[in-house]
Short mmCIF file of all heavy atoms in Angstrom, two decimals:
data_model
loop_
_atom_site.label_atom_id
_atom_site.label_comp_id
_atom_site.label_asym_id
_atom_site.label_seq_id
_atom_site.Cartn_x
_atom_site.Cartn_y
_atom_site.Cartn_z
N ALA A 727 106.23 93.02 86.39
CA ALA A 727 107.38 93.82 86.94
C ALA A 727 108.70 93.50 86.13
O ALA A 727 108.83 92.40 85.60
CB ALA A 727 107.55 93.65 88.36
N GLY A 728 109.59 94.45 86.24
CA GLY A 728 110.89 94.22 85.72
C GLY A 728 110.96 94.15 84.22
O GLY A 728 110.11 94.57 83.48
N GLY A 729 112.07 93.45 83.74
CA GLY A 729 112.26 93.33 82.29
C GLY A 729 111.16 92.59 81.60
O GLY A 729 110.89 92.84 80.47
N ILE A 730 110.52 91.56 82.20
CA ILE A 730 109.51 90.80 81.62
C ILE A 730 108.30 91.62 81.33
O ILE A 730 107.58 91.44 80.31
CB ILE A 730 109.15 89.48 82.46
CG1 ILE A 730 108.40 88.51 81.65
CG2 ILE A 730 108.30 89.98 83.67
CD1 ILE A 730 109.32 87.60 80.82
N ALA A 731 108.07 92.63 82.06
CA ALA A 731 107.00 93.54 81.78
C ALA A 731 107.11 94.23 80.42
O ALA A 731 106.18 94.40 79.66
CB ALA A 731 106.72 94.54 82.91
N ALA A 732 108.28 94.80 80.21
CA ALA A 732 108.57 95.43 78.98
C ALA A 732 108.47 94.44 77.71
O ALA A 732 107.96 94.86 76.68
CB ALA A 732 110.03 96.10 78.95
N LEU A 733 108.90 93.30 77.95
CA LEU A 733 108.81 92.29 76.85
C LEU A 733 107.40 91.95 76.50
O LEU A 733 106.98 91.89 75.34
CB LEU A 733 109.58 90.98 77.21
CG LEU A 733 111.05 91.06 77.35
CD1 LEU A 733 111.63 89.79 77.84
CD2 LEU A 733 111.78 91.51 76.03
N TYR A 734 106.56 91.72 77.57
CA TYR A 734 105.12 91.44 77.29
C TYR A 734 104.40 92.67 76.70
O TYR A 734 103.65 92.57 75.81
CB TYR A 734 104.40 91.00 78.59
CG TYR A 734 104.45 89.55 78.81
CD1 TYR A 734 105.36 88.93 79.67
CD2 TYR A 734 103.50 88.73 78.25
CE1 TYR A 734 105.30 87.59 79.86
CE2 TYR A 734 103.34 87.36 78.43
CZ TYR A 734 104.32 86.75 79.23
OH TYR A 734 104.36 85.47 79.45
N ASP A 735 104.73 93.86 77.28
CA ASP A 735 104.12 95.07 76.71
C ASP A 735 104.39 95.22 75.28
O ASP A 735 103.44 95.46 74.47
CB ASP A 735 104.63 96.26 77.53
CG ASP A 735 103.86 97.55 77.36
OD1 ASP A 735 103.09 97.64 76.41
OD2 ASP A 735 104.07 98.53 78.14
N ARG A 736 105.65 95.00 74.83
CA ARG A 736 105.91 95.30 73.47
C ARG A 736 105.19 94.15 72.45
O ARG A 736 104.72 94.51 71.51
CB ARG A 736 107.51 95.11 73.26
CG ARG A 736 107.95 95.33 71.90
CD ARG A 736 109.40 95.45 71.90
NE ARG A 736 109.83 95.61 70.45
CZ ARG A 736 111.10 95.53 70.10
NH1 ARG A 736 112.02 95.04 70.94
NH2 ARG A 736 111.41 95.60 68.83
N ALA A 737 105.27 92.95 73.01
CA ALA A 737 104.63 91.89 72.32
C ALA A 737 103.14 92.10 72.12
O ALA A 737 102.53 91.90 71.12
CB ALA A 737 104.89 90.56 72.89
N LEU A 738 102.51 92.49 73.23
CA LEU A 738 101.12 92.73 73.19
C LEU A 738 100.75 93.85 72.26
O LEU A 738 99.73 93.77 71.49
CB LEU A 738 100.52 92.98 74.50
CG LEU A 738 100.43 91.81 75.49
CD1 LEU A 738 100.33 92.18 77.02
CD2 LEU A 738 99.29 90.86 75.11
N GLN A 739 101.49 94.95 72.31
CA GLN A 739 101.22 96.02 71.53
C GLN A 739 101.45 95.73 70.02
O GLN A 739 100.75 96.09 69.12
CB GLN A 739 102.14 97.30 71.83
CG GLN A 739 101.57 97.87 73.15
CD GLN A 739 102.34 99.18 73.48
OE1 GLN A 739 102.61 99.98 72.57
NE2 GLN A 739 102.59 99.43 74.73
N GLN A 740 102.59 94.93 69.64
CA GLN A 740 102.75 94.50 68.32
C GLN A 740 101.66 93.63 67.81
O GLN A 740 101.41 93.67 66.51
CB GLN A 740 104.06 93.92 68.18
CG GLN A 740 105.20 94.90 68.31
CD GLN A 740 106.59 94.18 68.10
OE1 GLN A 740 106.77 92.99 68.12
NE2 GLN A 740 107.56 95.06 67.88
N ALA A 741 100.91 92.91 68.67
CA ALA A 741 99.83 92.04 68.28
C ALA A 741 98.54 92.77 68.16
O ALA A 741 97.53 92.17 67.83
CB ALA A 741 99.74 90.89 69.26
N GLY A 742 98.60 94.05 68.41
CA GLY A 742 97.34 94.89 68.25
C GLY A 742 96.60 95.12 69.49
O GLY A 742 95.52 95.70 69.46
N PHE A 743 97.03 94.77 70.67
CA PHE A 743 96.36 95.01 71.87
C PHE A 743 96.63 96.41 72.42
O PHE A 743 97.60 96.97 72.14
CB PHE A 743 96.70 94.03 73.05
CG PHE A 743 96.29 92.67 72.78
CD1 PHE A 743 97.15 91.66 72.09
CD2 PHE A 743 95.04 92.23 73.12
CE1 PHE A 743 96.68 90.38 71.95
CE2 PHE A 743 94.56 90.89 72.94
CZ PHE A 743 95.40 90.10 72.44
N SER A 744 95.59 96.96 73.10
CA SER A 744 95.71 98.24 73.78
C SER A 744 96.12 97.86 75.21
O SER A 744 95.38 97.19 75.93
CB SER A 744 94.48 98.97 73.81
OG SER A 744 94.40 100.08 74.61
N VAL A 745 97.32 98.26 75.70
CA VAL A 745 97.90 97.83 76.94
C VAL A 745 97.91 98.87 78.01
O VAL A 745 98.36 99.96 77.78
CB VAL A 745 99.27 97.28 76.74
CG1 VAL A 745 99.88 96.77 78.06
CG2 VAL A 745 99.44 96.20 75.68
N THR A 746 97.27 98.52 79.16
CA THR A 746 97.49 99.41 80.36
C THR A 746 98.32 98.53 81.32
O THR A 746 98.02 97.42 81.62
CB THR A 746 96.05 99.64 81.05
OG1 THR A 746 95.26 100.24 80.17
CG2 THR A 746 96.23 100.34 82.37
N ARG A 747 99.46 99.08 81.66
CA ARG A 747 100.43 98.38 82.49
C ARG A 747 100.37 98.87 84.00
O ARG A 747 100.33 100.01 84.30
CB ARG A 747 101.81 98.75 81.95
CG ARG A 747 102.92 97.91 82.23
CD ARG A 747 103.98 97.99 81.27
NE ARG A 747 105.28 97.98 81.96
CZ ARG A 747 106.46 98.07 81.32
NH1 ARG A 747 106.47 98.33 80.01
NH2 ARG A 747 107.60 98.04 81.99
N ILE A 748 100.32 97.86 84.85
CA ILE A 748 100.38 98.01 86.33
C ILE A 748 101.61 97.27 86.91
O ILE A 748 101.83 96.10 86.50
CB ILE A 748 99.14 97.48 87.07
CG1 ILE A 748 97.94 98.28 86.46
CG2 ILE A 748 99.20 97.52 88.55
CD1 ILE A 748 96.62 97.77 86.91
N ASP A 749 102.47 97.93 87.66
CA ASP A 749 103.66 97.25 88.16
C ASP A 749 103.19 96.23 89.33
O ASP A 749 102.47 96.62 90.12
CB ASP A 749 104.55 98.30 88.89
CG ASP A 749 105.72 97.76 89.37
OD1 ASP A 749 106.78 97.64 88.54
OD2 ASP A 749 105.84 97.37 90.51
N ALA A 750 103.63 95.06 89.04
CA ALA A 750 103.14 93.91 89.96
C ALA A 750 103.67 94.16 91.40
O ALA A 750 102.99 93.71 92.31
CB ALA A 750 103.73 92.55 89.40
N GLU A 751 104.87 94.61 91.54
CA GLU A 751 105.39 94.89 92.83
C GLU A 751 104.56 95.91 93.61
O GLU A 751 104.23 95.79 94.78
CB GLU A 751 106.93 95.27 92.80
CG GLU A 751 107.77 94.13 92.35
CD GLU A 751 109.16 94.50 92.12
OE1 GLU A 751 109.55 95.68 92.51
OE2 GLU A 751 109.97 93.57 91.66
N ASP A 752 104.17 97.06 92.86
CA ASP A 752 103.37 98.01 93.62
C ASP A 752 101.98 97.52 93.86
O ASP A 752 101.40 97.75 94.92
CB ASP A 752 103.26 99.23 92.57
CG ASP A 752 104.52 99.99 92.43
OD1 ASP A 752 105.41 99.91 93.29
OD2 ASP A 752 104.54 100.83 91.40
N ALA A 753 101.45 96.72 93.00
CA ALA A 753 100.07 96.06 93.17
C ALA A 753 100.17 95.10 94.37
O ALA A 753 99.23 95.08 95.15
CB ALA A 753 99.70 95.36 91.97
N SER A 754 101.24 94.33 94.59
CA SER A 754 101.30 93.46 95.62
C SER A 754 101.49 94.15 97.02
O SER A 754 100.72 93.90 97.94
CB SER A 754 102.57 92.62 95.47
OG SER A 754 102.35 91.72 94.36
N ARG A 755 102.24 95.18 97.00
CA ARG A 755 102.40 95.99 98.23
C ARG A 755 101.07 96.74 98.56
O ARG A 755 100.63 96.72 99.77
CB ARG A 755 103.50 97.07 98.10
CG ARG A 755 104.88 96.48 98.27
CD ARG A 755 106.01 97.64 98.43
NE ARG A 755 106.08 98.37 97.19
CZ ARG A 755 106.86 98.02 96.23
NH1 ARG A 755 107.49 96.82 96.23
NH2 ARG A 755 106.93 98.72 95.06
N GLY A 756 100.36 97.27 97.64
CA GLY A 756 99.06 97.92 97.76
C GLY A 756 98.00 96.89 98.38
O GLY A 756 97.33 97.27 99.27
N GLY A 757 98.06 95.69 97.80
CA GLY A 757 97.12 94.65 98.21
C GLY A 757 97.33 94.23 99.71
O GLY A 757 96.47 94.07 100.49
N LEU A 758 98.68 94.10 100.08
CA LEU A 758 99.13 93.68 101.44
C LEU A 758 98.76 94.85 102.38
O LEU A 758 98.18 94.48 103.48
CB LEU A 758 100.59 93.42 101.44
CG LEU A 758 101.04 92.14 100.72
CD1 LEU A 758 102.55 92.03 100.59
CD2 LEU A 758 100.45 90.94 101.44
N PHE A 759 98.99 96.10 101.95
CA PHE A 759 98.57 97.17 102.81
C PHE A 759 97.09 97.27 103.13
O PHE A 759 96.64 97.44 104.17
CB PHE A 759 99.06 98.54 102.23
CG PHE A 759 98.85 99.68 103.10
CD1 PHE A 759 99.61 99.94 104.24
CD2 PHE A 759 97.85 100.68 102.74
CE1 PHE A 759 99.32 101.05 104.96
CE2 PHE A 759 97.57 101.73 103.46
CZ PHE A 759 98.36 101.92 104.63
#
């Protein structure tokens, strides 16, 4: 989540990974629900 998500996304893509991004805050709320 947040700014760190964008940094990791960019680094992973530049390293050649195919990235699917899930917001950690949304995932946490969904899991709690």
